[in-house]
Amino acid sequence: AAHGIHRGARAQALEHEIARARDVRPPAGLDPVATLLGASVIGAIIAAPIAIGSGSFIDLMQPWGAAEWALLISSLLHALAYTGYIWLVGVAGPVFSSQIGYVVTIAGVLISAVALRESYSGWVWAALVLMIGGLALVQPRQKSAVAGR
């Protein structure tokens, strides 16, 4: 089960990096929820045939166990996080918003240290302190830059 969790986390991290690398911006006048809905529909259209064809499709019409509830909760949290991210790109700009990757890394290390009782060397903690310092130096774009867009 732990390997599945790690694979899922890696897949979400890869998805985040691909979106960040493409400098995803919602079209003018389109709110973050509509943007995420459109991306989700396109993703479902692409993923459904692959899931069905590979035999990995999960029938949610069966009685739900812990795995199905965990999937639902994870999906809702994921949708909330990406809606917030798309909103942040629109408000603060892509450079400031790209810093979320570092926040995710720091949170992942801290959560693994607490929840999984993992221990890290002093070098890792020093690196996290440097990352936090770097994050403090990056500021959202100024309002005048937004007006000139």
Side-chain angles (χ1 to χ4, degrees):
H3 290 353
I5 292 171
H6 291 297
R7 277 196 299 269
R10 285 193 302 258
Q12 286 182 347
L14 176 62
E15 178 185 346
H16 169 74
E17 290 304 316
I18 290 170
R20 187 173 63 86
R22 292 183 52 227
D23 184 22
V24 177
R25 281 184 189 257
L30 192 61
D31 65 276
V33 174
T35 302
L36 190 61
L37 176 63
S40 297
V41 168
I42 291 169
I45 290 169
I46 294 169
I50 296 169
I52 293 168
S54 67
S56 59
F57 182 78
I58 299 171
D59 182 10
L60 295 176
M61 295 303 161
Q62 304 294 328
W64 281 31
E68 288 80 9
W69 286 108
L71 178 63
L72 176 66
I73 292 168
S74 174
S75 298
L76 292 174
L77 291 173
H78 187 78
L80 181 66
Y82 269 95
T83 301
Y85 177 70
I86 293 168
W87 171 82
L88 186 62
V89 169
V91 171
V95 173
F96 182 75
S97 301
S98 70
Q99 303 308 304
I100 197 68
Y102 298 106
V103 174
V104 169
T105 300
I106 293 166
V109 170
L110 294 176
I111 290 170
S112 70
V114 172
L116 303 176
R117 296 190 179 112
E118 293 193 18
S119 60
Y120 298 102
S121 73
W123 291 105
V124 172
W125 296 114
L128 291 178
V129 168
L130 288 174
M131 287 172 65
I132 292 169
L135 285 170
L137 296 174
V138 178
Q139 301 296 317
R141 83 175 152 205
Q142 300 298 317
K143 296 278 187 205
S144 61
V146 174
R149 194 165 85 168

